[in-house]
Amino acid sequence: MHIAWIGKKSPPCGNVTYSREITNALLDRGYQVSFLHFAQDAFDEETGKPLPIHEPPVPLECQEVPLPFLYKSQVYTIPTLKSSKVLAESLRNLKPDLVHASLTLSPLDFVLPEICQELQVPLVATFHPPFSHKHRNLSSGTQHFMYQLYAPSLANYDAVIIFSQAQRDLLMRLGVPEAKIVIIPNGVDTDKYSPGPSTFKAELQTERIFVYQGRIAIEKNVESLLKAWKQVQRQMPVHSKLVMVGDGPLLNAHMTNYGPEQNVLWLGAIYDEHRRIEILRGADVFILPSFVEGLSLSLLEAMSCGVACLATDAGADGEVLAGGAGIVLNPQRTRGELRTLLPVLAEHPEMVKLLGQKGRQRVLERYCLDRNLGQLEKFYAQIFQQTKVEVYR
């Protein structure tokens, strides 16, 4: 089967990781994959031929198709006026059996159903935007608007892949037909992301390491974590450091207020996957204090590495940690809860170890990449057969 995958390769975010992991796994399983993504349209002035795209490479057997854009961020993309034409012509030439769009939050998402209907090719979307189904705040209100904006268009796709029951309920309330919604959670490579030796703790010369990994932005509620950490420094029973991994609009402001004097270490965005795994293996506790989430791949990666995890009940993250696989925080009381929990976790390594073991087991049971790819393959076959029957009626 030939899959035309429309997704992101940069800048680093959950959508990029999702696209990379799924397309690489599909190639390993014998699928033909064409990867369409937004990239600068550059040409050699002498030959007129396209120049190489300076972004992370895709495997040689995966055909890469650049789509022109004006602006691209971790959150959304603004295409050029000719992007829809390039997309339609590319799909017409590729002649895929199925188009899978890992939605990049761009205007092209709304015209894609019409393009695929004209080409008579089945169209599947993975809908990533974060949300909060229980707690209302400015961030969750903004994301709810995103769901309201997309719902009418999602109803025109042949199917929509989401990550949790809560996300399904929200889309159904907004008018997306239940029959078009399929839950296939994010998955993580549990062989690659696994407990193992690490020199990271010795490198930092500390006894306990607490880690945050993600965007440094308002919706991630990083400030609550930083304020709680600063307030409990005198209560910490052993020397501990908070390691912040990621980039974003609030990075510089937070670095100014929280630094070595509070035992906070800023590492910025880390693109080397081996280094990220080394950090997780050396960590004791992973913390995700977000106001809104989808299903955090960073959280699943930390759990898979056997790190004790704390995350807010936002998006599907509370569902992931339910039943003792981690500690679920209230997004509206995160700072107060962290003030209590941080010293306790630093003092009780046996509790941290047990939480890490339970988190690892939860990922093995429900969020293993290999298992979830099996679900995706069955789904592809079902959608392809279903649309094939409808075409020949």
Side-chain angles (χ1 to χ4, degrees), residues 25-254:
L26 289 173
L27 287 166
D28 289 341
R29 294 185 178 211
Y31 289 79
Q32 180 184 351
V33 178
S34 299
F35 198 146
L36 297 87
H37 67 98
F38 290 103
Q40 293 292 2
D41 208 4
F43 295 89
D44 185 287
E45 293 182 359
E46 293 184 4
T47 66
K49 294 181 179 180
L51 291 171
I53 299 165
H54 298 290
E55 293 186 346
V58 294
L60 293 176
E61 61 270 28
C62 180
Q63 182 174 357
E64 186 175 1
V65 179
L67 302 173
F69 70 95
L70 296 173
Y71 174 80
K72 182 170 58 172
S73 73
Q74 290 178 316
V75 180
Y76 62 93
T77 305
I78 301 175
T80 66
L81 293 176
K82 69 174 183 177
S83 291
S84 59
K85 183 179 180 180
V86 173
L87 175 59
E89 290 179 351
S90 298
L91 291 175
R92 186 175 291 109
N93 293 332
L94 289 168
K95 297 181 173 60
D97 297 304
L98 183 146
V99 175
H100 188 154
S102 180
L103 295 182
T104 57
L105 303 188
S106 86
L108 285 191
D109 299 341
F110 300 96
V111 301
L112 191 53
E114 183 180 344
I115 292 172
C116 289
Q117 285 169 14
E118 182 179 337
L119 297 175
Q120 295 188 336
V121 58
L123 172 63
V124 174
T126 297
F127 192 55
H128 297 263
F131 67 101
S132 178
H133 59 290
K134 293 182 179 179
H135 307 282
R136 306 303 296 171
N137 52 57
L138 179 60
S139 294
S140 64
T142 301
Q143 294 302 330
H144 187 74
F145 172 75
M146 183 69 70
Y147 275 70
Q148 290 176 310
L149 179 66
Y150 263 82
S153 181
L154 292 177
N156 294 322
Y157 283 69
D158 291 300
V160 181
I161 295 174
I162 55 169
F163 300 142
S164 70
Q165 184 68 39
Q167 194 181 10
R168 172 183 172 273
D169 294 343
L170 175 56
L171 287 176
M172 285 177 59
R173 288 200 302 271
L174 294 173
V176 181
E178 180 179 4
K180 292 194 174 187
I181 301 175
V182 181
I183 300 175
I184 302 179
N186 271 340
V188 61
D189 185 335
T190 54
D191 293 328
K192 184 166 52 177
Y193 287 88
S194 60
S198 171
T199 61
F200 188 59
K201 189 169 287 185
E203 179 185 324
L204 297 193
Q205 298 182 338
T206 189
E207 294 183 65
R208 303 282 187 272
I209 294 177
F210 295 74
V211 171
Y212 166 84
Q213 180 175 297
R215 293 186 73 236
I216 313 299
I218 291 176
E219 68 272 13
K220 295 296 186 178
N221 194 22
V222 174
E223 189 168 9
S224 289
L225 168 59
L226 292 168
K227 285 184 176 180
W229 180 264
K230 183 177 181 179
Q231 290 172 337
V232 301
Q233 283 304 287
R234 294 183 180 180
Q235 303 171 38
M236 298 298 271
V238 296
H239 189 266
S240 305
K241 287 190 177 180
L242 174 62
V243 176
M244 306 293 291
V245 180
D247 199 352
L250 298 182
L251 177 62
N252 291 334
H254 287 322

